[in-house]
Amino acid sequence: MAVGARSGHDGPEDRPSKGGVPGDAAGPAEGDGGARGHDPQGHESPGAEPLGGDSADGGSPGGSSTAQRKPRSFWKELPLLIGIALVLALLIKTFLVQAFSIPSDSMQNTLQRGDRVLVDKLTPWFGAEPERGEVVVFHDPGGWLENTATPEPNAVQKFLSFIGLMPSAEEKDLIKRVIAIGGDTVECKKNGPVTVNGKALDDKSFIFEGNSACDDQPFGPIHVPEGRIWVMGDHRQNSLDSRYHQELRGQGTVSVNEVVGRAVVIAWPVNRWATLPVPKTFDQPGLNAAAAAAVPGALGVAGALPLVFWRRRRLTRGRTAG
């Protein structure tokens, strides 16, 4: 009779093994460790592997609990990815850069109607203030856009504008070039150039071709208060800038707190990609003459103070000794 052919319910053959113990004379088949073992009474042998041998992880005990989880499907991951992208876009728009659309011709030829510019909003967070020659975006100081209609965006446009994926359509913002900053004296007479602290600006490199510096609206001299800026459009004869709002609070100047940031690059359309550098005329020597003139005076006062205290001390000692 072949080994293993009999049912476990039948009595085993009493054949003495080599150790004198009744059982299967042939013993388990070599290499048969993965099969269910039975003793002569039909009971499962201690430590026997489950029938079938191989577990979910290739045969290791407990493999079913350590099996790798199935990856999520793309459609289940998509809402999470979209949520992360929207949060990042909102953070970038709030703290780093924001896109703005140019709605008019007041900054030609530097900027054309319909251009999209990226505005640096990061540096103002570190206390940086606008500098002469920079192109800046700022909120309406009050009354500048009073008679200007703004388009009414739909719900989708409002949402995309809110997270920064689309230029703001309903906020009343303006874009101009900074001509003078706090402490400067700015002036422009008819047929003359714009002067800052007595220095004439060579604006031919950035104002609209054929425009005069200020013949349509001469002004000044105007002393720009600290914390404010004087702004003008590059298309001088088509720009309602600081010159036209001198009757308002600040005499046409704009508070630096209203400045959103500096426009640094034209991002759209592609064929107009360009940076917006500061024209060289704003780097000319002597433009900070007013500030430079104050330095010797301050140094003189600082140098005189020790002499005054020394003299007072000598006089005090002389009186005490007398």
Side-chain angles (χ1 to χ4, degrees), residues 129-132 178-185 197 223-230 253-254 256 288 290-291:
E129 294 189 355
E131 297 290 340
R132 303 182 196 92
V178 179
I179 302 299
I181 60 176
D184 290 343
T185 298
N197 299 326
H223 180 74
V224 182
E226 292 293 338
R228 304 186 74 85
I229 55 177
W230 178 271
T253 61
V254 178
V256 295
N288 292 318

Side-chain angles (χ1 to χ4, degrees), residues 64-118:
S64 59
S65 62
T66 60
Q68 293 183 353
R69 295 181 180 178
K70 292 182 179 180
R72 292 183 181 180
S73 68
F74 171 76
W75 297 110
K76 289 183 178 180
E77 294 282 356
L78 186 60
L80 178 62
L81 295 176
I82 293 176
I84 293 174
L86 293 179
V87 171
L88 289 175
L90 181 59
L91 291 174
I92 291 172
K93 175 246 184 179
T94 303
F95 300 105
L96 299 180
V97 294
Q98 183 176 357
F100 285 86
S101 177
I102 307 303
S104 70
D105 301 325
S106 67
M107 282 296 293
Q108 286 181 322
N109 270 335
T110 304
L111 299 173
Q112 302 290 345
R113 185 191 296 261
D115 284 352
R116 264 63 168 178
V117 297
L118 296 183

Side-chain angles (χ1 to χ4, degrees), residues 106-108 110 133-136 138 144 175-180 186-188 192-196 201 203 206-207 212-219 229-244 252 254 282:
S106 67
M107 282 296 293
Q108 286 181 322
T110 304
E134 294 180 346
V135 176
V136 296
F138 56 95
W144 286 39
I175 185 166
K176 305 291 180 188
R177 190 181 297 277
V178 179
I179 302 299
V186 60
E187 182 180 11
C188 185
V194 175
T195 63
V196 178
L201 298 179
D203 51 18
F206 57 88
I207 69 171
S212 62
C214 65
D215 286 359
D216 56 316
Q217 186 73 17
F219 62 92
I229 55 177
W230 178 271
V231 297
M232 299 174 70
D234 288 354
H235 194 165
R236 296 290 167 80
Q237 273 68 68
N238 191 17
S239 176
L240 297 179
D241 46 41
S242 289
R243 298 171 293 164
Y244 290 89
V254 178
F282 291 96

Side-chain angles (χ1 to χ4, degrees), residues 164-184:
L165 295 181
M166 182 176 177
S168 176
E170 58 182 351
E171 291 183 4
K172 291 189 174 183
D173 297 321
L174 302 98
I175 185 166
K176 305 291 180 188
R177 190 181 297 277
V178 179
I179 302 299
I181 60 176
D184 290 343

